Amino acid sequence: MISFTQNLISIDKTKANICWIVENHSPNVIKDVNAYSDIFSYSFGDIGIESIKSITFTIQLSKTELIGKA
């Protein structure tokens, strides 16, 4: 099983820091894992067995409603 989590790391009056986390709990390597929303996308590449990968990025606070669809 592969799982995806989106976390709000911090927020101020102009921007928000978001963290995407992908975890592989399957017995196989997962090839070419991609995550995307309406305003941001990221390729995590291959995810090994029992591996976790993450990325943190900043978006304008006015666009946070677009990231909710990740």
Side-chain angles (χ1 to χ4, degrees):
M1 180 176 93
I2 191 166
S3 65
F4 172 80
T5 306
Q6 176 174 278
N7 294 317
L8 175 64
I9 302 299
S10 64
I11 192 168
D12 67 23
K13 62 183 177 179
T14 62
K15 64 185 183 293
N17 291 313
I18 308 291
C19 181
W20 283 353
I21 304 165
V22 65
E23 301 178 52
N24 179 8
H25 298 291
S26 75
N28 304 302
V29 172
I30 306 294
K31 300 282 187 182
D32 195 27
V33 175
N34 297 291
Y36 58 91
S37 70
D38 287 344
I39 61 168
F40 188 79
S41 64
Y42 185 75
S43 175
F44 288 95
D46 297 347
I47 307 283
I49 299 167
E50 295 299 324
S51 293
I52 299 171
K53 289 188 177 182
S54 66
I55 182 171
T56 301
F57 55 95
T58 302
I59 60 171
Q60 294 176 0
L61 194 58
S62 62
K63 300 199 179 216
T64 54
E65 72 276 357
L66 298 174
I67 204 75
K69 298 177 184 176

